[in-house]
Amino acid sequence: MITLGIDIGSLSTKSAILNDDSVVAYDVVYTGGDNRQSAETTFNNVLAKAGLTKKDIDVIVTTGYGRENVPFADKHVSEITCHAKGMHFLNPSIRTVLDIGGQDSKAIQIGEKGNVVNFMMNDKCAAGCGRFLDIIARALGVKLEELGGIHQTATSTARISSMCTVFAETEVVSLVAVGTPTPSIIKGVHESIATRAIALLKAVGIKEPLGMSGGVAKNIGIVSALQDLLNMKVEVTDYPQVTGAIGAAYIGRSA
């Protein structure tokens, strides 16, 4: 059975195709101002990558903010359920999921079959999410994808007292002005984000193993900060950014 999942996020739209127990292909595009168009774009992209046509797909499931705005979808499912199922598909041992996306974060405790036991979501502010990191990277004059590597070179940690995106950016600029090393600033930012995420996790209840999904999971500095503060391993799959889309496709198998 071939199923396709589309996860329409605030910053990026992801798609994934499953053929039974295998991830055949995946794709990521910017959402922009038209989430229906971004869904169509990633849909066509992932079909091309897989060498398939729409007729080859048995079920299409959408999730995320714009999940109900895709006319060619067969089913719409909440992102909480899809991230839980996606993580379960990729690593069945995981019992708690931390998802940090572009503009929100989620902590989800899951059962043995990937069912949602408990969850909490921070969607009121982009602080501590991908958008926040993008703004900090620009303020420091580095590329977003370089943050994790630079973190690893830090020999000290700058204290970041504010998690408000605007105030934190001002704080970072001030630290740069007084000569604070960039790696120290980045490590401080990452630890602040990790501390915020841990509060969300503790509110849900952390059951090990802990897995992380979302685009921010690709940042080794965030993962490292979480592991240091929690004193536990944080598992990251091979497809962190498309976990929700994979979960949607996985759900499609029983649609």
Side-chain angles (χ1 to χ4, degrees):
M1 185 176 190
I2 302 177
T3 56
L4 189 150
I6 299 175
D7 178 9
I8 305 173
S10 56
L11 293 183
S12 62
T13 298
K14 291 79 63 175
S15 59
I17 295 176
L18 298 186
N19 187 353
D20 294 329
D21 291 328
S22 300
V23 178
V24 176
Y26 66 91
D27 183 67
V28 181
V29 299
Y30 286 109
T31 300
D34 188 340
N35 54 34
R36 179 179 293 191
Q37 181 59 54
S38 68
E40 290 180 358
T41 299
T42 194
F43 175 68
N44 291 325
N45 288 351
V46 79
L47 285 176
K49 289 179 179 180
L52 300 171
T53 67
K54 185 177 180 180
K55 292 180 180 179
D56 296 316
I57 307 300
D58 295 300
V59 180
I60 300 170
V61 179
T62 57
T63 189
Y65 290 102
R67 62 182 178 271
E68 295 181 3
N69 197 29
V70 182
F72 54 85
D74 299 300
K75 187 174 183 178
H76 315 296
V77 182
S78 79
E79 58 264 39
I80 299 295
T81 300
C82 287
H83 276 277
K85 289 293 187 180
M87 183 63 78
H88 176 72
F89 173 82
L90 295 167
N91 187 342
S93 69
I94 296 297
R95 291 295 171 268
T96 308
V97 180
L98 172 64
D99 173 76
I100 304 181
Q103 299 208 124
D104 68 36
S105 53
K106 316 170 188 68
I108 313 166
Q109 191 182 119
I110 62 177
E112 293 182 358
K113 295 183 179 180
N115 55 300
V116 177
V117 175
N118 192 14
F119 77 92
M120 186 166 286
M121 186 171 180
N122 171 32
D123 60 355
K124 304 299 182 185
C125 177
C129 300
R131 179 60 177 157
F132 175 80
L133 283 169
D134 186 39
I135 290 171
I136 295 300
R138 291 183 187 184
L140 290 170
V142 301
K143 294 180 180 179
L144 181 63
E145 59 269 24
E146 294 175 342
L147 291 176
I150 297 173
H151 170 118
Q152 301 297 88
T153 68
T155 56
S156 61
T157 307
R159 183 173 181 271
I160 306 297
S161 59
S162 176
M163 278 304 296
C164 169
T165 303
V166 176
F167 292 144
E169 182 181 10
T170 301
E171 198 170 351
V172 165
V173 170
S174 297
L175 287 168
V176 171
V178 297
T180 308
T182 296
S184 299
I185 297 172
I186 290 172
K187 187 175 181 181
V189 168
H190 287 166
E191 288 192 359
S192 294
I193 291 171
T195 299
R196 187 183 183 94
I198 289 168
L200 197 64
L201 284 166
K202 287 183 175 179
V204 168
I206 305 174
K207 288 188 67 176
E208 296 186 64
L210 169 63
M212 187 175 178
S213 63
V216 175
K218 297 166 68 176
N219 182 326
I220 192 174
I222 296 289
V223 176
S224 177
L226 283 165
Q227 291 183 147
D228 290 344
L229 293 171
L230 285 168
N231 195 28
M232 70 173 69
K233 184 172 177 57
V234 177
E235 303 282 352
V236 180
T237 71
D238 293 334
Y239 309 98
Q241 194 171 9
V242 293
T243 301
I246 289 172
Y250 180 61
I251 290 168
R253 290 162 47 164
S254 58

